[in-house]
Amino acid sequence: GAVVSQHPSRVICKSGTSVKIECRSLDFQATTMFWYRQFPKQSLMLMATSNEGSKATYEQGVEKDKFLINHASLTLSTLTVTSAHPEDSSFYICSAIRANTEAFFGQGTRLTVV
Amino acid sequence: AQSVSQHNHHVILSEAASLELGCNYSYGGTVNLFWYVQYPGQHLQLLLKYFSGDPLVKGIKGFEAEFIKSKFSFNLRKPSVQWSDTAEYFCAVNAKGNNRLAFGKGNQVVVIP
């Protein structure tokens, strides 16, 4: 089956630094990828839609300057959390859509900002 | 925009018991419906999906779900659970032609051996 790989799976960073998370579709091309944030005991919250070759579309309330998204190729999207703060600590998940039908998810990245 | 409701966040049951998880969505147009499962320490995996046709959908690992359009529901069922079904289950919806998925809050299911 299709595989989406997310890296790193865990990262701890100091407050004020930036962290980059990668999302790769390993066996299909994805013109669209999505970035989610998951809080404990809550649903996945869609943060933004990553479009290959164009600007990302952010959901209401998500700061585009804080969560930088780059979708430079058909198999790679990156999310950079800039100037991270403890409140940015969360579980970040990406997904890629194959053939405009099914979403495949990465394994998630646990970000802890200390 | 569509929204998804899942009730009873925590479900605890014994092996061989039957499981039913409710999912209701709010959206006036035509939708695609999904159930995803997240086993401990693993990524989200698709259990089953409904796009059109027979409203009773069979998925992997003995799960099935029924789309009842009049009730805006897509409940997940399994007649006899196993310990390995311990996981978190998410219902998700998207509007036809729009890949943006809306997720419910999830059901944490614990199966006791």
Side-chain angles (χ1 to χ4, degrees):
Chain A
V3 177
V4 172
S5 176
Q6 197 172 329
H7 178 80
S9 57
R10 292 178 185 271
V11 58
I12 301 172
C13 71
K14 290 185 178 180
S15 187
T17 62
S18 296
V19 173
K20 181 185 283 188
I21 304 169
E22 292 186 348
C23 180
R24 294 180 184 273
S25 57
L26 297 185
D27 59 357
F28 66 98
Q29 293 182 330
T31 55
T32 305
M33 292 186 178
F34 298 91
W35 287 96
Y36 296 85
R37 184 172 178 176
Q38 186 179 22
F39 294 97
K41 298 183 181 180
Q42 294 195 30
S43 180
L44 281 74
M45 182 193 78
L46 180 63
M47 298 175 65
T49 303
S50 173
N51 305 298
E52 189 268 337
S54 65
K55 291 183 180 180
T57 305
Y58 290 82
E59 296 299 305
Q60 192 173 9
V62 178
E63 298 176 59
K64 63 180 181 180
D65 294 329
K66 181 162 189 64
F67 298 100
L68 298 178
I69 291 172
N70 185 13
H71 195 152
S73 78
L74 286 170
T75 58
L76 174 64
S77 175
T78 60
L79 169 69
T80 301
V81 183
T82 62
S83 186
H85 291 285
E87 57 265 30
D88 299 323
S89 298
S90 193
F91 194 59
Y92 294 87
I93 303 173
C94 72
S95 77
I97 305 294
R98 184 180 70 175
N100 222 30
T101 56
E102 185 176 333
F104 293 89
F105 289 82
Q107 61 269 53
T109 298
R110 174 72 61 192
L111 170 63
T112 303
V113 184
V114 298
Chain B
Q2 54 271 37
S3 66
V4 182
S5 298
Q6 289 179 250
H7 310 291
N8 302 323
H9 181 70
H10 291 284
V11 177
I12 302 174
L13 59 168
S14 301
E15 276 192 318
S18 64
L19 172 69
E20 179 159 0
L21 301 177
C23 173
N24 290 90
Y25 67 94
S26 63
Y27 182 68
T30 308
V31 295
N32 299 319
L33 298 149
F34 307 82
W35 274 97
Y36 285 89
V37 60
Q38 189 172 28
Y39 297 105
Q42 296 189 28
H43 59 277
L44 282 161
Q45 301 171 41
L46 182 68
L47 263 184
L48 46 78
K49 60 188 177 185
Y50 172 81
F51 285 176
S52 64
D54 188 343
L56 184 60
V57 179
K58 294 193 184 296
I60 61 171
K61 304 187 180 186
F63 285 90
E64 65 178 32
E66 185 175 11
F67 172 47
I68 302 179
K69 189 175 181 179
S70 61
K71 295 184 177 180
F72 297 89
S73 69
F74 191 55
N75 294 352
L76 180 72
R77 297 191 290 257
K78 183 169 183 177
S80 177
V81 295
Q82 301 172 307
W83 174 79
S84 57
D85 293 321
T86 294
E88 188 145 18
Y89 294 81
F90 293 92
C91 181
V93 173
N94 68 356
K96 291 281 188 191
N98 185 336
N99 288 323
R100 292 166 69 249
L101 280 169
F103 283 85
K105 290 188 175 183
N107 296 105
Q108 183 68 56
V109 175
V110 175
V111 180
I112 301 171

